Amino acid sequence: MHVLLTGSSGWLGRFLAPRLRAVGHRVTGLDVAPGPDTDVVGSVADQQVVDEAFARGVEAVIHGGALHKPDIVRYPAPTFVDVNVSGTLNLLEAARAAGHDRFVFTSTTSLMISQAIRDEVGERAVWLDECSGPLEPRNIYGVTKLAAEGLCRLYAREHGLPCVVLRTSRFFPEDDDTRSDPPGENLKAIEFLHRRLTVEDAAEAHMAALEAAPRLSFDTFIVSAPPPFAREEAEELKRDARAVILRHFPDAEELFARRGWVLPASLGRVYDPARVEARLNFRCRTDFAAVLAALRAGAPLPFVHDVRYVSPKEAGEP
């Protein structure tokens, strides 16, 4: 299959493009920044750029290119609309016109987080699945990604273009742009309990979605490392997360302490990927247990932390 991959120079793209090729797919990469996996340089908001990519004979689309939450400080709201909404519409219309039978859209769990959820105002950890709502994104990033999801749903219903939406949780390699306590690797390790996956698992989820799209017509999935918790633990997770974690992983605190890390006192939300496991038969390979296993063995951590990582579109180079 000839796959158009947008965002091919980005963090996900650099893992997904080789994975697609490894199973025999041909890949045309499209990105605003040049890179080893990018064949068409330009924005999905530019109809001519999209036309150029489709003229190469692509048969399916994985749309991973977007402006992201850290870009809010760099780009105005209309640019988010142009890229994340109008760009998605350009691709959907081109795929419909070409008679494609699969379109995979990389969305985000961020659009599920209202200001109240972010502020953790409740007495229980919020358990988030695909039925959670009403959705009230708190910034232009979330608003535009939700709008793009709506376009995918519309094209599946009205035009018969099978679309799969993947709401991925965090897999960026750099530091959190809003939180520094606990720092770096410690924070990422904690997030595998409730809101993170590896970039490798993100790539594999897209592979599964690409194969399944024709039989699904339309569906939306949360993609995140499976949490070890049960919904019944939500209140205790908010009140005393450390106790819940140690109940599941008795040596977690000792293993963390060896690296100078700490366990969280409270967890305010948990992403539940049960639906993607049931409908796509996909489960992230790396979870919190894998992180602890690496700590026990003194092995490299099973995730990437790179404080120097800069998006290629900002770095000006692949």
Side-chain angles (χ1 to χ4, degrees):
M1 190 185 313
H2 187 174
V3 180
L4 173 62
L5 174 62
T6 73
S8 51
S9 295
W11 182 239
L12 174 62
R14 67 180 63 180
F15 287 84
L16 183 50
R19 185 70 184 92
L20 287 164
R21 292 192 182 101
V23 299
H25 296 306
R26 179 182 172 191
V27 179
T28 287
L30 188 163
D31 201 297
V32 293
D37 296 303
T38 296
D39 306 284
V40 180
V41 177
S43 172
V44 293
D46 185 333
Q47 185 65 60
Q48 281 190 304
V49 170
V50 172
D51 290 344
E52 178 186 345
F54 272 76
R56 294 171 177 246
V58 298
E59 301 167 284
V61 176
I62 297 179
H63 180 27
L67 289 182
H68 298 281
K69 187 258 182 183
D71 292 315
I72 291 174
V73 299
R74 295 188 283 262
Y75 299 93
T79 305
F80 272 82
V81 174
D82 290 343
V83 174
N84 292 358
V85 183
S86 297
T88 302
L89 180 59
N90 287 341
L91 291 164
L92 286 165
E93 181 57 24
R96 179 205 63 79
H100 287 185
D101 67 350
R102 63 198 76 203
F103 188 104
V104 179
F105 176 60
T106 311
S107 191
T108 173
T109 52
S110 178
L111 63 79
M112 305 176 70
I113 307 305
S114 65
Q115 194 60 49
I117 293 175
R118 187 177 190 277
D119 292 342
E120 301 186 359
V121 298
E123 296 181 354
R124 301 167 57 87
V126 179
W127 202 273
L128 292 158
D129 61 22
E130 293 82 359
C131 295
S132 298
L135 299 179
E136 299 174 349
R138 68 188 187 278
N139 56 41
I140 191 64
Y141 170 54
V143 167
T144 54
K145 294 296 271 189
L146 183 58
E149 285 192 8
L151 289 171
C152 292
R153 184 180 292 106
L154 180 69
Y155 269 70
R157 184 180 67 241
E158 293 196 350
H159 302 295
L161 173 60
C163 295
V164 177
V165 172
L166 299 181
R167 291 180 181 167
T168 61
S169 63
R170 295 174 155 209
F171 59 85
F172 56 79
E174 68 268 33
D175 278 329
D176 191 311
D177 64 335
T178 59
R179 181 176 175 183
S180 58
D181 184 25
E185 292 177 335
N186 189 172
L187 179 59
K188 283 184 171 64
I190 289 169
E191 288 175 341
F192 276 93
L193 288 164
H194 67 130
R195 61 180 300 198
R196 180 167 281 274
L197 73 162
T198 65
V199 67
E200 293 88 352
D201 279 333
E204 289 302 317
H206 284 74
M207 299 290 291
L210 183 69
E211 292 302 312
R215 70 173 171 82
L216 295 176
S217 181
F218 177 82
D219 215 332
T220 301
F221 300 104
I222 289 173
V223 186
S224 193
F229 313 119
R231 286 178 185 259
E232 294 74 20
E233 296 173 296
E235 184 174 344
E236 191 180 0
L237 280 170
K238 184 65 183 297
R239 184 180 68 251
D240 188 359
R242 173 183 170 275
V244 183
I245 295 165
L246 292 178
R247 186 161 62 239
H248 289 274
F249 305 101
D251 62 344
E253 190 164 51
E254 177 188 348
L255 292 169
F256 268 41
R258 292 177 188 174
R259 295 185 71 108
W261 292 357
V262 296
L263 292 175
S266 174
L267 293 179
R269 74 187 81 154
V270 177
Y271 295 129
D272 184 352
R275 183 177 177 84
V276 77
E277 293 183 22
R279 299 216 65 195
L280 286 190
N281 194 30
F282 171 81
R283 181 182 176 92
C284 291
R285 294 183 62 183
T286 300
D287 56 11
F288 188 71
V291 174
L292 294 186
L295 294 178
R296 288 190 199 99
L301 292 170
F303 60 87
V304 177
H305 175 66
D306 183 359
V307 297
R308 298 169 298 178
Y309 178 80
V310 178
S311 169
K313 76 180 191 311
E314 303 306 321
E317 57 187 30

